[in-house]
Amino acid sequence: MPLKNYSLLKGKASNIAIDDDDSPHMEIRIEAAGVSYRAAINVRSNVAPNDLLYRKQDPFSHPFLNELLALPEGLIDLKNGRNNVPNSRLSELVLDYVRGNFVQREAMEIAPFQRTGPDNDLRDYLEPIIRQGMADNSLTFYIFGEAWGPEDGEVDKYFGFVPGNGIHDVHLNQGSSGRFKATNGANQDGALLIHFGTTNHWAAIFLAFQSQDWNTDAHTGHPLDDIVVEPGKIDPLKPGVAIIAALINPSGNEDGRESVTLLNRTDAAFDLRGWRLMDRDDRAQSLEGKVRAGETIRITLSAGPDNPHLRNKGGVIRLVTPDGIVAHAISYKKHEAAREGWTTIF
């Protein structure tokens, strides 16, 4: 089953500890609205290959960042709507590496936990930014993962606060096999985002295990290890059909007038039968017809609340194969949709 307590912790870093046992983590003490929490960040895998995949994006941008800034400090339950955050906003705040266009598998690098030399391991990448946050209160940490606690009467074993409280699974949370398969799910990935208040910019740190498969079912998050790439189907990391443009903010009434333009990059006609376009809220529109080699097709999105909608304040467009794989995904910001009647090129 997916994570039970998928959450977001927003607060300030006040301390750091590094354990080096059989399952090493970098432990961060976070203070939020008068409560202490511990964020446990995996720095090595129990499953071979043991070194993690790592990606830091600085600066980082995404349409939902203004939503994060408006949140109160503390632990926010993204599944159950507690902590005074309206349910209507929760679907905008979840992370999905595969479908949300946050990070691409091929953009990540392999990072061992510790090795001799400067700036060449995960500790070198993570520790400086955490210590910067400890020294500079203008840095705010946003940590996505699985929450635990409060553990009444339990003393935190690293930092000594009571009760024990925290968040872990701050990494890709889908595509796992074996004993970790039970925690797979879509829209529940973990990450560490940092807002630098003085300069008003963002950085993001994404982590994953090398053993995890990025071809996952859109509902369960389980690996689609039986997928075979055949003529007319694509490798999702190198899409033969891609989203290249969208009319996000058409002139006048928008319902039924928004559109997405696809390009057939291959050298043969491409049959779109069974494919779908999806928005961030998983509203889908089925596609049909063939696109000749090297040509484009403009898909007008059907009117109605159950069909995909291109939100003017920013959103995500996904192109999904008949097997449920996200072949291509793009995200766009509010300013890219601001000019009425213009088509956005990606």
Side-chain angles (χ1 to χ4, degrees):
M1 60 186 302
L3 302 181
K4 293 181 179 180
N5 300 305
Y6 181 53
S7 301
L8 165 63
L9 174 60
K10 176 179 178 178
K12 309 290 185 178
S14 66
N15 206 347
I16 184 174
I18 300 171
D19 63 61
D20 196 4
D21 53 21
D22 292 337
S23 179
H25 290 74
M26 184 167 291
E27 314 286 350
I28 313 170
R29 180 168 177 169
I30 298 291
E31 310 298 338
V35 179
S36 294
Y37 301 86
R38 173 163 56 90
I41 313 294
N42 288 79
V43 290
R44 196 169 187 270
S45 174
N46 288 325
V47 178
N50 303 110
D51 295 335
L52 266 62
L53 295 171
Y54 163 87
R55 172 71 174 176
K56 179 181 178 182
Q57 295 181 201
D58 185 1
F60 172 70
S61 63
H62 196 275
F64 77 166
L65 293 180
N66 286 335
E67 293 284 331
L68 296 184
L69 285 174
L71 294 175
E73 282 194 353
L75 194 65
I76 298 162
D77 188 330
L78 295 177
K79 282 199 170 181
N80 302 307
R82 296 193 290 268
N83 298 72
N84 300 317
V85 178
N87 285 352
S88 60
R89 291 170 59 190
L90 295 181
S91 64
E92 302 293 325
L93 305 180
V94 300
L95 298 186
D96 191 308
Y97 288 16
V98 177
R99 298 163 190 88
N101 202 32
F102 290 95
V103 63
Q104 301 295 321
R105 167 65 178 81
E106 65 269 28
M108 304 185 82
E109 61 181 282
I110 297 173
F113 171 32
Q114 296 187 105
R115 64 181 173 190
T116 304
D119 299 324
N120 63 1
D121 59 43
L122 202 51
R123 181 172 181 176
D124 292 338
Y125 301 150
L126 292 174
E127 188 172 359
I129 199 167
I130 296 167
R131 292 197 180 278
Q132 182 182 353
M134 291 164 53
D136 183 353
N137 199 51
S138 73
L139 273 66
T140 303
F141 289 76
Y142 297 76
I143 304 171
F144 292 79
E146 170 86 335
W148 80 80
E151 301 168 322
D152 293 337
E154 294 290 328
V155 178
D156 183 81
K157 64 180 181 179
Y158 290 96
F159 302 118
F161 58 79
V162 181
N165 245 334
I167 193 166
H168 65 146
D169 289 337
V170 186
H171 48 65
L172 180 72
N173 287 308
Q174 57 185 302
S176 295
S177 300
R179 61 193 175 102
F180 296 107
K181 186 175 181 179
T183 60
N184 285 336
N187 298 310
Q188 59 162 31
D189 291 331
L192 174 61
L193 275 59
I194 306 100
H195 180 250
F196 297 77
T198 302
T199 56
N200 192 29
H201 86 278
W202 290 80
I205 294 172
F206 301 101
L207 299 168
F209 300 113
Q210 293 188 64
S211 57
Q212 290 174 305
D213 193 329
W214 287 55
N215 295 340
T216 61
D217 180 84
H219 301 288
T220 66
H222 294 326
L224 294 175
D225 51 14
D226 58 345
I227 294 295
V228 177
V229 178
E230 301 172 351
K233 296 184 180 180
I234 67 170
D235 179 343
L237 297 182
K238 298 177 181 177
V241 176
I243 301 166
I244 62 168
L247 178 57
I248 299 165
N249 185 15
S251 301
N253 182 26
E254 297 184 3
D255 201 21
R257 302 182 64 195
E258 299 167 331
S259 67
V260 176
T261 301
L262 308 178
L263 168 68
N264 177 6
R265 302 172 58 219
T266 74
D267 60 357
F270 202 98
D271 191 351
L272 290 173
R273 182 174 46 193
W275 287 60
R276 291 171 294 159
L277 283 172
M278 298 181 69
D279 63 13
R280 175 106 192 187
D281 298 318
D282 288 337
R283 293 173 295 197
Q285 177 168 321
S286 297
L287 305 182
E288 59 183 20
K290 292 185 177 182
V291 192
R292 290 191 293 184
E295 295 195 359
T296 62
I297 185 172
R298 182 182 180 189
I299 309 295
T300 299
L301 301 183
S302 299
D306 297 328
N307 291 306
H309 178 61
L310 306 183
R311 299 168 66 247
N312 291 347
K313 66 178 182 179
V316 171
I317 310 170
R318 288 175 280 158
L319 178 63
V320 182
T321 75
D323 299 306
I325 301 173
V326 176
H328 193 211
I330 61 94
S331 63
Y332 61 90
K333 306 175 186 64
K334 181 178 180 179
H335 73 271
E336 295 175 292
R339 194 160 186 175
E340 189 176 57
W342 282 58
T343 294
T344 299
I345 299 173
F346 301 111

